Amino acid sequence: MQPLPESLSPIRAYVDRARELKSVSAVVSHQLRVHAAAVGLALRSRDAAGTRWLMGILDELEKERGALGPPEAPAGATLRALAIDIYERARKLDRPDTAPTPRDRWAVLEAPRIAQGLHASAVLLDALTQHGPLSATELAVLRAAHQRSQVLSAQLVKSLSMERLVPAWQPLGHTAQPPASP
């Protein structure tokens, strides 16, 4: 795949997570790239390089769809299940009441992975909006995962002099309203 043109930078988080998760779930990776393509096609800031990149990914997605075969479960369910699983794992290991310090083994070894996991969970849930509005629970998890990933990453940068662990990304579907209750 060609490098992502600058005009498509708003979709970088989806493309990067798709690449990272391909070995975990080809279906989730595919869905992230479908979402990235849909968002990219809607960008008004896209230039000729961005359009060429999108046409390439659309061709790849079409070939991939055939190779994936019939789904074992709806794609949205697979995407949601992985997002919630990653979120729950990260949340169990997190220490939100602890300020990271260089002497703290947790801060050095686990906290960076926790921040990245929470970010990945938020990206997956945001991509889930391609299947319809998020439920109130999904929206709450997306917001919590996104906020904590940003806060923890900033704390680690400050206290451990690390490079930023997660991008300064904003969910595109985070303003989606949950379905009205009957």
Side-chain angles (χ1 to χ4, degrees):
M1 182 189 312
Q2 295 292 324
L4 189 70
E6 186 61 33
S7 67
L8 296 177
S9 62
I11 66 171
R12 181 170 307 283
Y14 308 105
V15 173
D16 290 348
R17 299 306 73 76
R19 191 177 312 111
E20 291 170 359
L21 294 170
K22 189 165 186 146
S23 65
V24 175
S25 173
V27 171
V28 168
S29 177
H30 182 82
Q31 286 296 304
L32 282 168
R33 293 172 64 222
V34 166
H35 185 66
V39 171
L41 287 169
L43 289 174
R44 293 176 190 230
S45 61
R46 169 176 98 240
D47 59 9
T51 300
R52 281 191 303 277
W53 189 91
L54 287 167
M55 294 304 111
I57 196 173
L58 289 172
D59 288 342
E60 289 175 24
L61 288 169
E62 191 61 33
K63 291 174 189 171
E64 217 173 73
R65 187 175 64 158
L68 286 174
E72 294 177 18
T78 305
L79 194 57
R80 181 188 188 285
L82 185 58
I84 299 300
D85 179 57
I86 292 171
Y87 174 75
E88 290 298 332
R89 287 177 189 217
R91 195 174 62 81
K92 286 177 185 172
L93 296 172
D94 194 11
R95 297 182 187 169
D97 297 329
T98 303
T101 66
R103 290 176 278 207
D104 184 0
R105 181 178 165 88
W106 171 83
V108 174
L109 299 177
E110 293 182 44
R113 289 190 338 226
I114 293 165
Q116 292 167 334
L118 291 168
H119 170 71
S121 176
V123 170
L124 292 173
L125 285 167
D126 194 51
L128 187 60
T129 60
Q130 69 187 291
H131 299 287
L134 299 179
S135 69
T137 300
E138 292 162 345
L139 190 57
V141 170
L142 185 153
R143 287 179 176 157
H146 176 256
Q147 180 182 21
R148 180 61 182 152
S149 72
Q150 296 295 315
V151 167
L152 183 56
S153 180
Q155 288 175 330
L156 291 168
V157 167
K158 184 177 179 182
S159 68
L160 303 179
S161 301
M162 301 179 118
E163 289 185 27
R164 188 163 181 83
L165 295 168
V166 298
W169 166 82
Q170 287 294 321
L172 299 175
H174 78 287
T175 57
Q177 295 298 314
S181 36

